[in-house]
């Protein structure tokens, strides 16, 4: 299919030229012949990639997926996957593809009712292949534009994207109805205290992926942490894997085993491709700089959070959304598709970059240090691979990483990292730019950096207390912290008014895996002492521990002792929540965020 738009041609050629390292500024007409040959080569590449995907899928189908998933899929003699339930998913997916390629006005509404549409690699894959086979009968119809390539790359396993797409029309209709019916209703009152107190309690933004209740704690799409642990499929042991949470956040649906597996494969392929390309560039072609070169240009002692945020920006050149926006050919209704691709790329890349930062900048012993691009093991889940890339391959550490990446992922929209990502994204800044902003907020000691502060403080306590964890000495230590003008890190919360459920589940993990750990004994003792000390100040709204009070003690037990890295791990996890919402925000057409500010004089004059 040839695009009539010169902009699309440009983007297409730009992508080819990026891969082939040709000069993108060559004039279209003088490069037309080159493009045709490149197109044929590219088509062969895509066909080869598809064959690999088919083989991989077939292997997964027979070896990995649960029998329940296998039972509703059938493999025909051409090795195509069909939904055994009916042709409905095929029809809906086909119309969805037509819509994608502009042949059909509105397809997604029909797909919304199809239960088969989201099955991993089900009807969508089959129809997409038929669609392309059909259109490849003519030379021009075989030409892939940047847009087609983007869609094609993800064809085999993209039940998730199809499910999101199928939900968009009904979600937009629901939001529209909400606005029409209740648009003029009030959701609360704003007092001067709220304006002057960090906007605490002001209901001011939509955020679908999670909701925080002061007393119940966080619910991810309605599910508490114990419910996630119980209900999310894809577990390797007891803890859920973050891929399952990502699926839940994006679709508001507990995925099937097969759907989680398909998403896992997708993310690991993205991670592996990224790491391999960067490693290849490292080894040979120095002319193509990559994110690791950018990181190497920073002093080793640059804080790991600064490095992670800088890495996000250094990768921004890969943004598909930005390229499409610049081409001028992307409709508003298509924004989310490119945000989705960027978001999933970024979620997959961040653990690789983070593991690199860890090994280059955080570990002290020469034997564990490395400036190599980490090697991705695509057979693992995202968390296990992250743990392994950092040099921790025990099953217990992988389990901890699964729990860690799951529980830190989202905490509704008002916290600094989520809000910053949301705000910057609302200006149509791409996911790399937006999430870098979120990371910069997470790097603050009152927010994500508190996990680093907690471990420093615990180490300080160990030195000061010399093993005497009696109530009196511990109380004095905590009071001295306050007297020195510092906050007690890991305690208090802007919204919660109880012990953070994320603290509780980590405590359970510790009780199960490391009950005798000395630092865990200290953490437990502090839990008994700190709340009363904070209550005695008379000003702390929530004297109970938050997530950060417990995470470090687990990590150090399993060998991740470098606390300046802890917030990076928080950031890797937080990408899952922030970027899920970013996809939905563009899919549902959220407005640019622009609240009203006033001067203190304005307030005085209003009430005088
Ligand atoms: N230690 C000492 N003082 C505290 C603490 C604490 N843990 N928590 C709150 N306060 C103080 C707070 O500084 C404020 O003092 P002042 O009026 O002198 O400015 C007063 O109590 C009232 O604050 P709150 O309304 O209870 O809390 P706020 O919503 O303003 O702040 C936090 C919430 C989380 C920033 C605050 O509790 C805090 O600084 N905690 C320690 C740092 C921390 O653990 N942050 C991690 C939060 C979770 N995360 O991952 O992001
Ligand atoms: C978070 O996880 O973002 C923190 O608990 C801070 C918050 O919710 O305000």
């Amino acid at each position: 299919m040839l695009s009539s738009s010169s902009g699309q041609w440009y983007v297409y050629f730009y992508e080819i030229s990026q891969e082939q390292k040709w000069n993108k500024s060559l004039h279209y007409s003088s490069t037309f012949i080159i493009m045709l040959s490149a197109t044929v080569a590219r088509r062969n590449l895509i066909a080869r990639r598809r064959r690999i995907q088919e083989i991989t899928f077939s292997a997964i189908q027979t070896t990995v997926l649960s029998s329940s998933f296998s039972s509703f899929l059938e493999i025909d003699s051409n090795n195509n996957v069909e939904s055994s339930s009916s042709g409905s998913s095929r029809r809906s997916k086909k119309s969805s593809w037509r819509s994608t390629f502009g042949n059909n006005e509105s397809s997604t509404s029909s797909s919304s009712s199809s239960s088969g549409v989201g099955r991993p690699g089900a009807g969508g894959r089959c129809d997409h292949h038929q669609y392309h086979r059909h259109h490849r009968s003519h030379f021009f119809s075989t030409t892939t534009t940047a847009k087609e390539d983007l869609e094609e790359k993800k064809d085999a396993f993209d039940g998730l994207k199809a499910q999101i797409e199928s939900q968009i029309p009904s979600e937009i209709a629901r939001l529209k109805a909400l606005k029409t019916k209740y648009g003029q209703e009030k959701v609360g009152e704003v007092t001067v205290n709220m304006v002057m107190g960090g906007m605490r309690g002001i209901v001011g933004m939509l955020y679908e992926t999670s909701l925080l209740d002061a007393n119940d704690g966080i619910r991810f799409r309605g599910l508490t942490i114990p419910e996630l642990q119980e209900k999310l499929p894809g577990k390797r042991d007891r803890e859920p894997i973050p891929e399952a949470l990502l699926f839940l956040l994006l679709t508001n649906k507990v995925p099937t085993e097969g759907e989680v597996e398909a998403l896992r494969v997708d993310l690991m392929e993205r991670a592996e491709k990224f790491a391999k390309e960067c490693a290849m560039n490292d080894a040979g072609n120095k002319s193509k700089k990559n994110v690791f070169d950018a990181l190497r240009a920073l002093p080793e002692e640059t804080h790991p959070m600064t490095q992670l945020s800088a890495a996000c920006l250094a990768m921004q050149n890969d943004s598909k959304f930005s390229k499409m926006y610049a081409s001028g050919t992307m409709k508003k209704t298509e924004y989310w598709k490119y945000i989705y691709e960027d978001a999933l790329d970024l979620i997959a890349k961040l653990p690789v970059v983070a593991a690199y930062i860890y090994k280059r900048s955080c570990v002290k012993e020469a034997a564990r240090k490395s400036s190599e691009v980490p090697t991705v093991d695509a057979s693992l889940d995202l968390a296990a691979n992250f743990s392994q890339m950092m040099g921790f391959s025990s099953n217990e550490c992988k389990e901890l990483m699964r729990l860690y990446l799951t529980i830190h992922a989202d905490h509704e929209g008002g916290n600094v990292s989520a809000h910053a990502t949301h705000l910057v994204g609302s200006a149509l800044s791409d996911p790399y730019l937006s999430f870098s902003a979120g990371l910069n907020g997470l790097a603050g000691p009152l927010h994500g950096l508190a996990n680093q502060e907690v471990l420093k403080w615990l180490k300080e306590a160990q030195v000061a207390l010399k093993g005497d964890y009696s109530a009196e000495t511990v109380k004095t230590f905590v009071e001295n912290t306050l007297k020195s003008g510092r906050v007690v890190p890991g305690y208090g919360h802007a919204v919660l008014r109880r012990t953070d459920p994320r603290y509780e589940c980590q405590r359970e993990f510790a009780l199960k895996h490391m009950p005798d750990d000395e630092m865990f004994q200290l953490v437990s003792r502090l839990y008994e002492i700190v709340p009363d000390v904070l209550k005695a100040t008379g000003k702390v709204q929530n004297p109970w521990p938050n997530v950060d009070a417990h995470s470090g003690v687990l990590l150090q037990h399993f060998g991740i002792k470098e606390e300046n890295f802890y917030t990076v791990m928080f950031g890797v996890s937080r990408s899952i929540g922030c970027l899920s919402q970013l996809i939905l925000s563009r899919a549902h057409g959220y407005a640019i965020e622009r609240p009203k500010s006033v001067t203190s004089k304005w307030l005085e004059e209003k009430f005088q």
Side-chain angles (χ1 to χ4, degrees):
M1 184 193 302
L2 256 184
S3 165
S4 57
S5 149
S6 60
Q8 278 186 328
W9 266 109
Y10 181 80
V11 170
Y12 171 54
F13 178 63
Y14 176 80
E15 289 218 333
I16 292 178
S17 66
Q18 288 285 83
E19 281 188 18
Q20 308 290 335
K21 298 175 194 65
W22 293 336
N23 186 341
K24 70 174 176 178
S25 64
L26 287 174
H27 194 271
Y28 308 142
S29 58
S30 66
T31 57
F32 187 71
I33 301 297
I34 299 169
M35 288 173 67
L36 294 186
S37 351
T39 300
V40 172
R42 188 175 188 77
R43 195 183 67 191
N44 291 341
L45 191 76
I46 289 166
R48 212 166 50 239
R49 191 192 294 155
R50 180 180 304 109
R51 277 199 301 278
I52 291 166
Q53 283 173 333
E54 282 176 358
I55 292 162
T56 314
F57 187 84
S58 176
I60 289 166
Q61 226 274 327
T62 50
T63 59
V64 180
L65 302 185
S66 72
S67 56
S68 63
F69 171 57
S70 304
S71 70
F72 73 73
L73 295 175
E74 288 168 6
I75 310 234
D76 69 22
S77 54
N78 294 323
N79 210 23
N80 287 328
V81 182
E82 298 251 341
S83 164
S84 64
S85 55
S86 75
S88 65
S89 69
R90 299 187 52 196
R91 276 194 299 278
S92 59
K93 181 66 186 184
K94 185 178 238 167
S95 57
S96 165
W97 279 106
R98 283 207 191 105
S99 149
T100 304
F101 293 102
N103 292 341
N104 195 352
E105 286 226 303
S106 166
S107 62
T108 45
S109 53
S110 67
S111 56
S112 65
S113 60
S114 165
S115 61
V117 102
R119 287 174 187 159
R125 175 173 176 272
C126 182
D127 284 341
H128 181 52
H129 283 210
Q130 286 170 355
Y131 178 86
H132 277 273
R133 261 183 224 125
H134 172 72
H135 284 263
R136 282 197 175 105
S137 59
H138 186 281
F139 173 79
F140 285 117
S141 65
T142 64
T143 305
T144 47
T145 63
K147 188 175 183 180
E148 277 184 8
D149 182 44
L150 177 62
E151 302 290 349
E152 178 136 25
K153 192 172 138 268
K154 300 302 309 117
D155 62 352
F157 299 117
D158 226 334
L160 172 57
K161 197 168 184 181
Q163 287 201 32
I164 297 170
E165 183 166 31
S166 74
Q167 291 175 351
I168 292 173
S170 57
E171 277 302 282
I172 289 178
R174 191 173 65 82
L175 295 176
K176 203 171 161 196
L178 182 69
K179 231 177 144 193
T180 309
K181 203 164 170 195
Y182 303 114
Q184 299 305 318
E185 299 292 336
K186 294 195 172 101
V187 290
E189 287 191 352
V190 179
T191 63
V192 175
N193 273 342
M194 289 160 127
V195 174
M196 297 181 73
M199 298 198 279
R200 205 73 81 254
I202 297 177
V203 177
M205 69 193 285
L206 273 182
Y207 209 84
E208 303 285 18
T209 49
S210 64
L211 185 64
L212 182 61
D213 179 84
N215 297 306
D216 295 343
I218 190 66
R219 282 179 187 272
F220 302 85
R221 293 294 199 167
L223 299 184
T224 62
I225 288 172
E227 285 167 346
L228 290 186
Q229 287 171 318
E230 189 202 322
K231 293 190 174 150
L232 284 185
K235 290 188 194 73
R236 270 46 182 168
D237 190 349
R238 180 175 178 263
E239 303 303 340
I241 63 170
E243 290 90 332
L245 179 68
L246 175 61
F247 200 110
L248 172 75
L249 297 185
L250 281 167
T251 61
N252 194 18
K253 196 197 94 173
V254 173
T256 62
E257 288 278 351
E259 284 165 339
V260 176
E261 175 59 10
L263 180 55
R264 184 198 69 74
V265 170
D266 180 349
L267 289 170
M268 295 314 293
E269 278 181 2
R270 289 173 196 253
E272 193 176 35
K273 180 172 179 285
F274 164 68
K276 277 189 175 158
E277 279 175 6
C278 291
M280 262 159 53
N281 286 332
D282 266 9
N285 183 4
K286 290 282 174 203
S287 65
K288 196 174 174 193
K289 296 265 181 212
N290 63 52
V291 59
F292 297 96
D293 293 305
L295 289 174
R296 287 183 198 112
L298 294 172
E300 250 184 45
E301 57 279 9
T302 306
H303 194 278
M305 276 304 276
T306 312
Q307 294 193 45
L308 190 68
S309 177
C312 253
L313 295 179
M315 294 188 288
Q316 191 267 340
N317 191 36
D318 298 338
S319 169
K320 290 157 183 147
F321 175 82
S322 287
K323 285 193 183 98
M324 282 306 290
Y325 196 89
S327 78
T329 61
M330 179 173 52
K331 296 194 195 84
K332 207 171 175 180
T333 51
E334 292 179 322
Y335 288 174
W336 75 271
K337 291 180 185 171
Y338 298 91
I339 296 283
Y340 173 95
E341 292 299 332
D342 283 352
L344 265 69
D345 279 346
L346 189 49
I347 290 168
K349 288 171 179 179
L350 281 171
V352 185
V353 172
Y356 173 81
I357 294 170
Y358 178 72
K359 294 199 102 177
R360 172 183 178 249
S361 277
C362 300
V363 297
K364 301 277 181 288
E365 315 91 72
R368 287 170 64 220
K369 271 181 102 66
S370 169
S371 278
E372 301 286 303
V373 176
T375 304
V376 170
D377 180 347
S379 70
L380 297 177
D381 54 287
L382 187 104
N385 179 59
F386 183 28
S387 182
Q388 186 161 293
M389 286 188 300
M390 285 173 62
F392 301 96
S393 298
S394 75
N395 286 338
E396 275 183 323
C397 195
K398 287 174 179 167
E399 267 296 90
L400 173 61
M401 196 67 88
R402 291 176 189 122
L403 178 70
Y404 191 102
L405 295 191
T406 300
I407 63 176
H408 286 81
D410 214 23
H411 218 229
E412 73 172 28
N415 66 74
V416 174
S417 49
H419 190 187
T421 307
H422 186 75
L423 169 70
V424 175
S426 82
L428 298 188
S429 302
D430 63 58
Y432 295 89
L433 296 170
S434 306
F435 191 61
S436 172
L439 287 171
N440 296 338
L442 195 68
L446 295 189
H447 190 20
L449 202 79
N451 58 14
Q452 169 184 319
E453 296 299 296
V454 167
L455 209 83
K456 269 166 64 184
W457 185 66
L458 291 175
K459 285 180 178 172
E460 215 180 286
Q462 282 180 321
V463 172
L465 300 173
K466 297 187 187 72
D468 175 7
Y469 297 161
S470 63
E472 227 17 70
T473 47
V474 172
K475 184 165 177 265
T476 308
F477 176 78
V478 176
E479 285 169 346
N480 286 342
T481 301
L482 292 178
K483 275 188 205 142
S484 70
R486 292 185 289 168
V487 294
V488 176
Y491 280 77
H493 201 274
V495 180
L496 282 167
R497 293 295 175 261
R498 58 160 274 184
T499 298
D500 192 333
R502 298 172 296 179
Y503 177 97
E504 286 168 341
C505 73
Q506 293 184 92
R507 181 171 165 76
E508 269 175 38
F509 191 94
L511 287 168
K512 183 173 170 202
H513 294 276
M514 43 181 267
D516 301 326
D517 183 278
E518 198 250 288
M519 197 183 263
F520 174 55
Q521 309 285 333
L522 174 59
V523 167
S524 300
R525 175 59 93 193
L526 287 164
Y527 189 21
E528 292 163 12
I529 306 291
V530 174
D532 284 341
V533 176
L534 290 180
K535 276 183 211 163
T537 66
K539 63 175 184 181
V540 178
Q541 300 297 312
N542 177 44
W544 303 106
N546 59 56
V547 64
D548 299 317
H550 215 301
S551 51
V553 69
L554 300 179
L555 297 173
Q556 64 81 37
H557 180 83
F558 291 100
I560 308 172
K561 296 191 184 287
E562 304 81 2
E563 68 264 15
N564 64 346
F565 187 70
Y566 291 177
T567 317
V568 167
M569 298 176 65
F570 195 154
V572 167
S573 170
R574 191 47 61 100
S575 68
I576 291 170
C578 292
L579 295 175
S580 293
Q581 181 57 49
L582 202 65
I583 295 167
L584 299 180
S585 300
R586 298 292 77 80
H588 302 158
Y590 285 13
I592 185 169
E593 193 174 294
R594 205 313 183 179
K596 178 84 186 84
S597 71
V598 291
T599 62
S600 51
K601 195 164 174 6
W602 184 96
L603 283 174
E604 282 162 358
E605 284 170 2
K606 185 170 174 68
F607 299 109
Q608 269 161 13

